[in-house]
Amino acid sequence: MGVFEYVSVLTSIVIGLGIAHLLKGVASLVQHPGRAKAYWVHLLWVTFMFFQAVFFWWWEFALQSLDQWTFDIYLFVLFYAFVIYLLCALLFPQDLDDYSGYEDYFMARRAWFLGLLAVYFLLDFWDTWIKGADYFASLGLEYPISQAIIIVCLLVGTVTANRRFHGAFVVLMLVYQVSRALRTYDTIG
């Protein structure tokens, strides 16, 4: 087993726990539809995070090309996976006793979720750079520009309760990230 495979085992477990958390939350909504009122914006963020967690495995494959692994890189990749897990966990709390449903919960916790998502996108810059300057450059100008715009919009989302903003933003994020994934990362190796 190489270093990449060794590191991937632990990060895969952490990401798998995040995906399991999302799936359990969605299953709970289906099993008990009257228990907590669903919110379409929340459900689109759930879809977004499922996609990001699955995609993490795909784009981290580029780390196999690292000539040398350091403890710092190992800790970074593990921390990156932890952030993904936390984002998944924030979408489905253990209970909603203090909230009238997922809309109330999401709006009350949006600063935590969107703020941590901004951290996630900042980590993506570093992750991309770790893969090498050539790899970073291969993504073109779209990558840093789109990341910066996304981070600014996430920070705006932490302070605004405007439901139209949140609805439009999550739709655009989901469409853009799926589009970017299909255009940029359709083949690895």
Side-chain angles (χ1 to χ4, degrees):
M1 178 184 292
V3 175
F4 171 72
E5 292 83 8
Y6 184 77
V7 171
S8 294
V9 169
L10 185 54
T11 58
S12 294
I13 291 169
V14 173
I15 296 298
L17 289 170
I19 290 172
H21 196 90
L22 292 177
L23 293 175
K24 182 179 175 188
V26 170
S28 177
L29 287 173
V30 172
Q31 292 167 350
H32 307 284
R35 193 175 285 174
K37 187 176 177 190
Y39 178 43
W40 70 274
V41 170
H42 170 262
L43 291 176
L44 286 181
W45 280 119
V46 169
T47 304
F48 178 85
M49 284 311 305
F50 178 80
F51 175 74
Q52 292 301 110
V54 170
F55 193 41
F56 177 84
W57 269 309
W58 188 253
W59 76 59
E60 289 304 273
F61 190 73
L63 288 173
Q64 73 162 333
S65 65
L66 287 183
D67 293 328
Q68 183 177 9
W69 278 80
T70 64
F71 191 63
D72 292 347
I73 293 173
Y74 166 70
L75 286 179
F76 169 78
V77 172
L78 194 55
F79 179 71
Y80 196 9
F82 287 162
V83 168
I84 293 170
Y85 172 80
L86 288 173
L87 285 162
C88 293
L90 280 172
L91 285 169
F92 285 107
Q94 288 184 345
D95 66 65
L96 285 172
D97 292 345
D98 298 334
Y99 306 96
S100 61
Y102 281 101
E103 180 175 6
D104 186 35
Y105 171 75
F106 178 79
M107 295 311 290
R109 296 283 142 230
R110 72 181 185 278
W112 278 98
F113 177 74
L114 298 176
L116 189 57
L117 196 54
V119 169
Y120 164 84
F121 277 95
L122 287 171
L123 291 173
D124 190 63
F125 271 118
W126 191 6
D127 179 71
T128 303
W129 188 253
I130 287 171
K131 294 169 185 165
D134 290 339
Y135 180 82
F136 194 97
S138 75
L139 299 177
L141 276 177
E142 177 187 354
Y143 174 71
I145 292 170
S146 65
Q147 295 292 94
I149 291 169
I150 288 168
I151 290 167
V152 167
C153 289
L154 286 166
L155 295 176
V156 168
T158 65
V159 295
T160 183
N162 184 302
R163 270 118 171 113
R164 286 186 183 163
F165 171 85
H166 286 281
F169 181 53
V170 70
V171 168
L172 291 173
M173 283 288 288
L174 192 54
V175 168
Y176 177 72
Q177 288 296 93
V178 169
S179 164
R180 188 172 127 213
L182 295 176
R183 289 181 290 112
T184 308
Y185 301 104
D186 64 331
T187 305
I188 59 173

